[in-house]
Amino acid sequence: MLVDTCVGNIGQYAFQNCSALTTVTFAKSYSGLYWGTLGTGMFEGCTSLKSVDIPNSVTEIGSGAFEGCISLTSIDIPNSVTEIGWGAFMGCTSLASVNIPNSVTGIGGQAFYGCSSLASIDIPNSVTKIGNEAFKG
């Protein structure tokens, strides 16, 4: 799916449980996310989602944005992101690789809870807050 610049705002739970969705690419100039956030539960339960190209307009990955995306294997978080929300990647059991840039200052509780394939992760010095159970399981 390509999210083009003609799409207005995308809100919370917009693609929740779209079980056949495999790829999401935002147009490079896309800025239609509410408050620069990949909203709460935006892709929650998209069990076939393997690839997401997060645009540089995103400043926060919201709570549960990718919760339960069991086919997601890697994610590159752009330099514009400063916060990874509570449970953002919770239950992404195939997630093995995450690139957290120096712009991130906070990782919410249970952000990577249950990401059992996550073998290693580099947390930059910019991170000053890691919530409870952020990497549990």
Side-chain angles (χ1 to χ4, degrees), residues 18-137:
C18 290
S19 59
L21 185 63
T22 60
T23 305
V24 176
T25 303
F26 290 88
K28 294 294 181 204
S29 60
Y30 184 71
S31 61
L33 298 168
Y34 284 124
W35 308 289
T37 301
L38 277 182
T40 299
M42 184 175 276
F43 298 104
E44 180 181 337
C46 293
T47 55
S48 298
L49 186 62
K50 293 179 182 179
S51 174
V52 177
D53 181 15
I54 301 173
N56 285 326
S57 59
V58 173
T59 57
E60 179 182 351
I61 298 175
S63 298
F66 296 97
E67 182 178 345
C69 293
I70 59 173
S71 297
L72 192 62
T73 58
S74 67
I75 193 88
D76 282 325
I77 298 170
N79 289 328
S80 55
V81 172
T82 59
E83 289 285 325
I84 299 172
W86 180 92
F89 297 95
M90 183 189 305
C92 294
T93 55
S94 297
L95 189 61
S97 172
V98 178
N99 174 28
I100 299 177
N102 288 329
S103 59
V104 173
T105 59
I107 299 172
Q110 298 184 349
F112 297 94
Y113 184 99
C115 294
S116 54
S117 295
L118 195 57
S120 68
I121 189 163
D122 289 328
I123 300 172
N125 291 336
S126 60
V127 174
T128 58
K129 174 186 73 168
I130 298 176
N132 294 338
E133 301 178 330
F135 298 95
K136 185 176 181 178

